[in-house]
PDB file of all heavy atoms in Angstrom:
ATOM      1  N   HIS S 364      -1.642  27.167  -6.859  1.00 97.00           N
ATOM      2  CA  HIS S 364      -2.009  25.815  -7.291  1.00 97.00           C
ATOM      3  C   HIS S 364      -3.078  25.375  -6.148  1.00 97.00           C
ATOM      4  O   HIS S 364      -2.657  25.032  -5.106  1.00 97.00           O
ATOM      5  CB  HIS S 364      -0.849  24.865  -7.256  1.00 97.00           C
ATOM      6  CG  HIS S 364       0.211  25.332  -8.308  1.00 97.00           C
ATOM      7  ND1 HIS S 364      -0.062  25.180  -9.612  1.00 97.00           N
ATOM      8  CD2 HIS S 364       1.531  25.687  -8.164  1.00 97.00           C
ATOM      9  CE1 HIS S 364       1.079  25.622 -10.282  1.00 97.00           C
ATOM     10  NE2 HIS S 364       2.020  25.858  -9.422  1.00 97.00           N
ATOM     11  N   ALA S 365      -4.344  25.450  -6.468  1.00 97.00           N
ATOM     12  CA  ALA S 365      -5.334  25.032  -5.456  1.00 97.00           C
ATOM     13  C   ALA S 365      -5.216  23.594  -5.171  1.00 97.00           C
ATOM     14  O   ALA S 365      -5.104  22.706  -6.050  1.00 97.00           O
ATOM     15  CB  ALA S 365      -6.733  25.382  -5.988  1.00 97.00           C
ATOM     16  N   MET S 366      -5.299  23.220  -3.911  1.00 98.00           N
ATOM     17  CA  MET S 366      -5.132  21.829  -3.466  1.00 98.00           C
ATOM     18  C   MET S 366      -6.149  21.424  -2.459  1.00 98.00           C
ATOM     19  O   MET S 366      -6.517  22.219  -1.487  1.00 98.00           O
ATOM     20  CB  MET S 366      -3.676  21.718  -2.819  1.00 98.00           C
ATOM     21  CG  MET S 366      -3.359  20.264  -2.413  1.00 98.00           C
ATOM     22  SD  MET S 366      -1.550  20.095  -2.093  1.00 98.00           S
ATOM     23  CE  MET S 366      -1.467  20.909  -0.454  1.00 98.00           C
ATOM     24  N   CYS S 367      -6.681  20.243  -2.579  1.00 97.00           N
ATOM     25  CA  CYS S 367      -7.712  19.777  -1.619  1.00 97.00           C
ATOM     26  C   CYS S 367      -7.263  18.342  -1.174  1.00 97.00           C
ATOM     27  O   CYS S 367      -6.325  17.730  -1.761  1.00 97.00           O
ATOM     28  CB  CYS S 367      -9.129  19.687  -2.284  1.00 97.00           C
ATOM     29  SG  CYS S 367      -9.152  18.421  -3.646  1.00 97.00           S
ATOM     30  N   PRO S 368      -7.852  17.920  -0.147  1.00 97.00           N
ATOM     31  CA  PRO S 368      -7.470  16.434   0.283  1.00 97.00           C
ATOM     32  C   PRO S 368      -7.893  15.440  -0.789  1.00 97.00           C
ATOM     33  O   PRO S 368      -8.945  15.659  -1.439  1.00 97.00           O
ATOM     34  CB  PRO S 368      -8.162  16.258   1.623  1.00 97.00           C
ATOM     35  CG  PRO S 368      -9.069  17.395   1.877  1.00 97.00           C
ATOM     36  CD  PRO S 368      -8.876  18.390   0.781  1.00 97.00           C
ATOM     37  N   TYR S 369      -7.195  14.358  -0.892  1.00 97.00           N
ATOM     38  CA  TYR S 369      -7.661  13.287  -1.749  1.00 97.00           C
ATOM     39  C   TYR S 369      -8.968  12.708  -1.211  1.00 97.00           C
ATOM     40  O   TYR S 369      -9.069  12.512   0.018  1.00 97.00           O
ATOM     41  CB  TYR S 369      -6.585  12.157  -1.752  1.00 97.00           C
ATOM     42  CG  TYR S 369      -6.887  11.013  -2.627  1.00 97.00           C
ATOM     43  CD1 TYR S 369      -6.817  11.088  -4.031  1.00 97.00           C
ATOM     44  CD2 TYR S 369      -7.390   9.775  -2.125  1.00 97.00           C
ATOM     45  CE1 TYR S 369      -7.149  10.025  -4.863  1.00 97.00           C
ATOM     46  CE2 TYR S 369      -7.738   8.650  -2.934  1.00 97.00           C
ATOM     47  CZ  TYR S 369      -7.583   8.834  -4.306  1.00 97.00           C
ATOM     48  OH  TYR S 369      -7.890   7.831  -5.071  1.00 97.00           O
ATOM     49  N   PHE S 370      -9.918  12.253  -2.012  1.00 96.00           N
ATOM     50  CA  PHE S 370     -11.178  11.920  -1.488  1.00 96.00           C
ATOM     51  C   PHE S 370     -11.795  10.791  -2.408  1.00 96.00           C
ATOM     52  O   PHE S 370     -11.349  10.582  -3.508  1.00 96.00           O
ATOM     53  CB  PHE S 370     -12.192  13.123  -1.580  1.00 96.00           C
ATOM     54  CG  PHE S 370     -12.453  13.626  -2.892  1.00 96.00           C
ATOM     55  CD1 PHE S 370     -13.484  13.132  -3.703  1.00 96.00           C
ATOM     56  CD2 PHE S 370     -11.554  14.632  -3.449  1.00 96.00           C
ATOM     57  CE1 PHE S 370     -13.654  13.635  -5.012  1.00 96.00           C
ATOM     58  CE2 PHE S 370     -11.762  15.112  -4.711  1.00 96.00           C
ATOM     59  CZ  PHE S 370     -12.804  14.590  -5.508  1.00 96.00           C
ATOM     60  N   GLU S 371     -12.790  10.186  -1.885  1.00 95.00           N
ATOM     61  CA  GLU S 371     -13.701   9.355  -2.725  1.00 95.00           C
ATOM     62  C   GLU S 371     -15.131   9.888  -2.443  1.00 95.00           C
ATOM     63  O   GLU S 371     -15.469  10.297  -1.462  1.00 95.00           O
ATOM     64  CB  GLU S 371     -13.595   7.852  -2.309  1.00 95.00           C
ATOM     65  CG  GLU S 371     -12.224   7.356  -2.545  1.00 95.00           C
ATOM     66  CD  GLU S 371     -12.057   5.817  -2.221  1.00 95.00           C
ATOM     67  OE1 GLU S 371     -12.870   5.320  -1.307  1.00 95.00           O
ATOM     68  OE2 GLU S 371     -11.234   5.243  -2.805  1.00 95.00           O
ATOM     69  N   THR S 372     -15.930   9.847  -3.582  1.00 95.00           N
ATOM     70  CA  THR S 372     -17.231  10.406  -3.457  1.00 95.00           C
ATOM     71  C   THR S 372     -18.139   9.389  -2.812  1.00 95.00           C
ATOM     72  O   THR S 372     -18.016   8.206  -3.119  1.00 95.00           O
ATOM     73  CB  THR S 372     -17.838  10.829  -4.857  1.00 95.00           C
ATOM     74  OG1 THR S 372     -17.485   9.887  -5.776  1.00 95.00           O
ATOM     75  CG2 THR S 372     -17.369  12.155  -5.241  1.00 95.00           C
ATOM     76  N   ARG S 373     -18.984   9.850  -1.850  1.00 93.00           N
ATOM     77  CA  ARG S 373     -19.907   8.895  -1.180  1.00 93.00           C
ATOM     78  C   ARG S 373     -20.942   8.323  -2.154  1.00 93.00           C
ATOM     79  O   ARG S 373     -21.220   7.246  -2.141  1.00 93.00           O
ATOM     80  CB  ARG S 373     -20.545   9.627  -0.065  1.00 93.00           C
ATOM     81  CG  ARG S 373     -21.315   8.887   0.934  1.00 93.00           C
ATOM     82  CD  ARG S 373     -20.495   8.380   2.095  1.00 93.00           C
ATOM     83  NE  ARG S 373     -20.954   7.265   2.795  1.00 93.00           N
ATOM     84  CZ  ARG S 373     -21.861   7.247   3.734  1.00 93.00           C
ATOM     85  NH1 ARG S 373     -22.356   8.442   4.149  1.00 93.00           N
ATOM     86  NH2 ARG S 373     -22.220   6.181   4.325  1.00 93.00           N
ATOM     87  N   GLU S 374     -21.450   9.211  -2.945  1.00 94.00           N
ATOM     88  CA  GLU S 374     -22.399   8.728  -4.051  1.00 94.00           C
ATOM     89  C   GLU S 374     -22.025   9.197  -5.390  1.00 94.00           C
ATOM     90  O   GLU S 374     -20.940   8.609  -5.838  1.00 94.00           O
ATOM     91  CB  GLU S 374     -23.777   9.293  -3.694  1.00 94.00           C
ATOM     92  CG  GLU S 374     -24.370   8.666  -2.446  1.00 94.00           C
ATOM     93  CD  GLU S 374     -25.725   9.213  -2.031  1.00 94.00           C
ATOM     94  OE1 GLU S 374     -26.552   9.522  -2.820  1.00 94.00           O
ATOM     95  OE2 GLU S 374     -25.833   9.494  -0.688  1.00 94.00           O
ATOM     96  N   ASP S 375     -22.536  10.124  -5.937  1.00 94.00           N
ATOM     97  CA  ASP S 375     -22.203  10.625  -7.338  1.00 94.00           C
ATOM     98  C   ASP S 375     -21.348  11.850  -7.404  1.00 94.00           C
ATOM     99  O   ASP S 375     -20.441  12.086  -8.126  1.00 94.00           O
ATOM    100  CB  ASP S 375     -23.362  10.850  -8.211  1.00 94.00           C
ATOM    101  CG  ASP S 375     -24.169   9.517  -8.330  1.00 94.00           C
ATOM    102  OD1 ASP S 375     -23.604   8.519  -8.768  1.00 94.00           O
ATOM    103  OD2 ASP S 375     -25.349   9.428  -7.938  1.00 94.00           O
ATOM    104  N   ILE S 376     -21.759  12.932  -6.616  1.00 95.00           N
ATOM    105  CA  ILE S 376     -21.099  14.231  -6.742  1.00 95.00           C
ATOM    106  C   ILE S 376     -20.760  14.689  -5.300  1.00 95.00           C
ATOM    107  O   ILE S 376     -21.163  14.174  -4.260  1.00 95.00           O
ATOM    108  CB  ILE S 376     -22.092  15.240  -7.370  1.00 95.00           C
ATOM    109  CG1 ILE S 376     -23.350  15.356  -6.438  1.00 95.00           C
ATOM    110  CG2 ILE S 376     -22.325  14.974  -8.774  1.00 95.00           C
ATOM    111  CD1 ILE S 376     -24.162  16.541  -6.811  1.00 95.00           C
ATOM    112  N   PRO S 377     -19.677  15.586  -5.245  1.00 95.00           N
ATOM    113  CA  PRO S 377     -19.163  16.010  -3.868  1.00 95.00           C
ATOM    114  C   PRO S 377     -20.208  16.465  -2.884  1.00 95.00           C
ATOM    115  O   PRO S 377     -20.036  16.174  -1.729  1.00 95.00           O
ATOM    116  CB  PRO S 377     -18.173  17.102  -4.331  1.00 95.00           C
ATOM    117  CG  PRO S 377     -17.665  16.751  -5.686  1.00 95.00           C
ATOM    118  CD  PRO S 377     -18.976  16.195  -6.350  1.00 95.00           C
ATOM    119  N   GLU S 378     -21.215  17.153  -3.390  1.00 93.00           N
ATOM    120  CA  GLU S 378     -22.244  17.654  -2.458  1.00 93.00           C
ATOM    121  C   GLU S 378     -22.854  16.611  -1.718  1.00 93.00           C
ATOM    122  O   GLU S 378     -23.368  16.810  -0.648  1.00 93.00           O
ATOM    123  CB  GLU S 378     -23.265  18.407  -3.297  1.00 93.00           C
ATOM    124  CG  GLU S 378     -22.844  19.867  -3.647  1.00 93.00           C
ATOM    125  CD  GLU S 378     -21.869  19.950  -4.736  1.00 93.00           C
ATOM    126  OE1 GLU S 378     -21.475  18.926  -5.284  1.00 93.00           O
ATOM    127  OE2 GLU S 378     -21.441  21.112  -5.091  1.00 93.00           O
ATOM    128  N   GLN S 379     -22.965  15.384  -2.135  1.00 95.00           N
ATOM    129  CA  GLN S 379     -23.474  14.170  -1.470  1.00 95.00           C
ATOM    130  C   GLN S 379     -22.523  13.636  -0.396  1.00 95.00           C
ATOM    131  O   GLN S 379     -22.893  12.725   0.254  1.00 95.00           O
ATOM    132  CB  GLN S 379     -23.882  13.122  -2.407  1.00 95.00           C
ATOM    133  CG  GLN S 379     -25.032  13.647  -3.307  1.00 95.00           C
ATOM    134  CD  GLN S 379     -25.139  12.713  -4.589  1.00 95.00           C
ATOM    135  OE1 GLN S 379     -24.193  12.194  -5.137  1.00 95.00           O
ATOM    136  NE2 GLN S 379     -26.334  12.449  -5.099  1.00 95.00           N
ATOM    137  N   GLY S 380     -21.337  14.196  -0.301  1.00 95.00           N
ATOM    138  CA  GLY S 380     -20.387  13.806   0.713  1.00 95.00           C
ATOM    139  C   GLY S 380     -19.150  13.226   0.162  1.00 95.00           C
ATOM    140  O   GLY S 380     -19.134  12.507  -0.884  1.00 95.00           O
ATOM    141  N   LEU S 381     -18.024  13.504   0.822  1.00 97.00           N
ATOM    142  CA  LEU S 381     -16.690  13.013   0.326  1.00 97.00           C
ATOM    143  C   LEU S 381     -16.115  12.229   1.569  1.00 97.00           C
ATOM    144  O   LEU S 381     -16.356  12.524   2.689  1.00 97.00           O
ATOM    145  CB  LEU S 381     -15.805  14.148   0.072  1.00 97.00           C
ATOM    146  CG  LEU S 381     -16.165  15.073  -1.142  1.00 97.00           C
ATOM    147  CD1 LEU S 381     -15.155  16.214  -1.332  1.00 97.00           C
ATOM    148  CD2 LEU S 381     -16.356  14.202  -2.424  1.00 97.00           C
ATOM    149  N   MET S 382     -15.415  11.204   1.198  1.00 97.00           N
ATOM    150  CA  MET S 382     -14.790  10.300   2.224  1.00 97.00           C
ATOM    151  C   MET S 382     -13.241  10.324   2.017  1.00 97.00           C
ATOM    152  O   MET S 382     -12.765  10.262   0.854  1.00 97.00           O
ATOM    153  CB  MET S 382     -15.302   8.871   2.082  1.00 97.00           C
ATOM    154  CG  MET S 382     -16.685   8.641   2.557  1.00 97.00           C
ATOM    155  SD  MET S 382     -17.272   7.052   2.100  1.00 97.00           S
ATOM    156  CE  MET S 382     -16.194   6.089   3.162  1.00 97.00           C
ATOM    157  N   GLY S 383     -12.496  10.315   3.099  1.00 96.00           N
ATOM    158  CA  GLY S 383     -11.048  10.164   3.057  1.00 96.00           C
ATOM    159  C   GLY S 383     -10.741   8.760   2.692  1.00 96.00           C
ATOM    160  O   GLY S 383     -11.650   7.878   2.579  1.00 96.00           O
ATOM    161  N   PHE S 384      -9.504   8.410   2.556  1.00 95.00           N
ATOM    162  CA  PHE S 384      -9.049   7.133   2.087  1.00 95.00           C
ATOM    163  C   PHE S 384      -8.218   6.471   3.080  1.00 95.00           C
ATOM    164  O   PHE S 384      -7.240   7.065   3.638  1.00 95.00           O
ATOM    165  CB  PHE S 384      -8.187   7.271   0.773  1.00 95.00           C
ATOM    166  CG  PHE S 384      -7.655   6.148   0.235  1.00 95.00           C
ATOM    167  CD1 PHE S 384      -8.591   5.117  -0.473  1.00 95.00           C
ATOM    168  CD2 PHE S 384      -6.380   5.648   0.237  1.00 95.00           C
ATOM    169  CE1 PHE S 384      -8.056   3.934  -0.986  1.00 95.00           C
ATOM    170  CE2 PHE S 384      -5.897   4.514  -0.326  1.00 95.00           C
ATOM    171  CZ  PHE S 384      -6.782   3.664  -0.994  1.00 95.00           C
ATOM    172  N   VAL S 385      -8.510   5.226   3.509  1.00 95.00           N
ATOM    173  CA  VAL S 385      -7.729   4.489   4.380  1.00 95.00           C
ATOM    174  C   VAL S 385      -6.792   3.627   3.651  1.00 95.00           C
ATOM    175  O   VAL S 385      -7.069   2.731   2.920  1.00 95.00           O
ATOM    176  CB  VAL S 385      -8.537   3.613   5.352  1.00 95.00           C
ATOM    177  CG1 VAL S 385      -7.560   2.932   6.407  1.00 95.00           C
ATOM    178  CG2 VAL S 385      -9.646   4.414   6.005  1.00 95.00           C
ATOM    179  N   ASP S 386      -5.482   4.028   3.756  1.00 95.00           N
ATOM    180  CA  ASP S 386      -4.371   3.315   2.937  1.00 95.00           C
ATOM    181  C   ASP S 386      -3.912   2.118   3.686  1.00 95.00           C
ATOM    182  O   ASP S 386      -3.053   2.224   4.550  1.00 95.00           O
ATOM    183  CB  ASP S 386      -3.265   4.317   2.642  1.00 95.00           C
ATOM    184  CG  ASP S 386      -2.913   5.125   3.870  1.00 95.00           C
ATOM    185  OD1 ASP S 386      -3.610   5.087   4.917  1.00 95.00           O
ATOM    186  OD2 ASP S 386      -1.740   5.721   3.848  1.00 95.00           O
ATOM    187  N   GLY S 387      -4.480   1.003   3.282  1.00 96.00           N
ATOM    188  CA  GLY S 387      -4.013  -0.261   3.899  1.00 96.00           C
ATOM    189  C   GLY S 387      -2.543  -0.537   3.468  1.00 96.00           C
ATOM    190  O   GLY S 387      -2.035   0.066   2.673  1.00 96.00           O
ATOM    191  N   PRO S 388      -2.033  -1.576   4.149  1.00 98.00           N
ATOM    192  CA  PRO S 388      -0.633  -1.873   3.919  1.00 98.00           C
ATOM    193  C   PRO S 388      -0.132  -2.268   2.502  1.00 98.00           C
ATOM    194  O   PRO S 388       0.985  -2.121   2.137  1.00 98.00           O
ATOM    195  CB  PRO S 388      -0.309  -3.130   4.873  1.00 98.00           C
ATOM    196  CG  PRO S 388      -1.458  -3.124   5.821  1.00 98.00           C
ATOM    197  CD  PRO S 388      -2.520  -2.472   5.107  1.00 98.00           C
ATOM    198  N   ARG S 389      -1.126  -2.603   1.686  1.00 98.00           N
ATOM    199  CA  ARG S 389      -0.741  -3.005   0.289  1.00 98.00           C
ATOM    200  C   ARG S 389      -0.303  -1.815  -0.436  1.00 98.00           C
ATOM    201  O   ARG S 389       0.359  -1.926  -1.433  1.00 98.00           O
ATOM    202  CB  ARG S 389      -1.918  -3.660  -0.360  1.00 98.00           C
ATOM    203  CG  ARG S 389      -3.123  -2.768  -0.867  1.00 98.00           C
ATOM    204  CD  ARG S 389      -4.241  -3.448  -1.373  1.00 98.00           C
ATOM    205  NE  ARG S 389      -4.877  -4.305  -0.337  1.00 98.00           N
ATOM    206  CZ  ARG S 389      -6.180  -4.779  -0.456  1.00 98.00           C
ATOM    207  NH1 ARG S 389      -6.824  -4.647  -1.492  1.00 98.00           N
ATOM    208  NH2 ARG S 389      -6.595  -5.600   0.526  1.00 98.00           N
ATOM    209  N   TYR S 390      -0.836  -0.546  -0.017  1.00 98.00           N
ATOM    210  CA  TYR S 390      -0.436   0.719  -0.730  1.00 98.00           C
ATOM    211  C   TYR S 390       0.830   1.247  -0.265  1.00 98.00           C
ATOM    212  O   TYR S 390       1.216   0.981   0.952  1.00 98.00           O
ATOM    213  CB  TYR S 390      -1.562   1.762  -0.493  1.00 98.00           C
ATOM    214  CG  TYR S 390      -2.902   1.323  -1.051  1.00 98.00           C
ATOM    215  CD1 TYR S 390      -3.852   0.765  -0.139  1.00 98.00           C
ATOM    216  CD2 TYR S 390      -3.236   1.439  -2.359  1.00 98.00           C
ATOM    217  CE1 TYR S 390      -5.034   0.346  -0.578  1.00 98.00           C
ATOM    218  CE2 TYR S 390      -4.497   0.958  -2.764  1.00 98.00           C
ATOM    219  CZ  TYR S 390      -5.373   0.436  -1.885  1.00 98.00           C
ATOM    220  OH  TYR S 390      -6.662   0.098  -2.321  1.00 98.00           O
ATOM    221  N   SER S 391       1.484   1.976  -1.048  1.00 98.00           N
ATOM    222  CA  SER S 391       2.845   2.583  -0.644  1.00 98.00           C
ATOM    223  C   SER S 391       2.683   3.390   0.682  1.00 98.00           C
ATOM    224  O   SER S 391       3.562   3.210   1.587  1.00 98.00           O
ATOM    225  CB  SER S 391       3.453   3.479  -1.686  1.00 98.00           C
ATOM    226  OG  SER S 391       2.544   4.516  -2.008  1.00 98.00           O
ATOM    227  N   THR S 392       1.744   4.282   0.846  1.00 97.00           N
ATOM    228  CA  THR S 392       1.645   5.058   1.960  1.00 97.00           C
ATOM    229  C   THR S 392       1.373   4.238   3.210  1.00 97.00           C
ATOM    230  O   THR S 392       1.872   4.432   4.285  1.00 97.00           O
ATOM    231  CB  THR S 392       0.693   6.206   1.858  1.00 97.00           C
ATOM    232  OG1 THR S 392      -0.540   5.648   1.493  1.00 97.00           O
ATOM    233  CG2 THR S 392       1.184   7.237   0.831  1.00 97.00           C
TER     234      THR S 392
END
Side-chain angles (χ1 to χ4, degrees):
H364 300 295
M366 183 165 77
C367 67
Y369 180 79
F370 63 89
E371 293 183 336
T372 41
R373 190 92 201 273
E374 292 175 42
D375 297 302
I376 57 168
E378 279 75 0
Q379 294 163 324
L381 299 179
M382 287 171 67
F384 180 71
V385 186
D386 45 346
R389 76 187 65 165
Y390 302 97
S391 60
T392 53

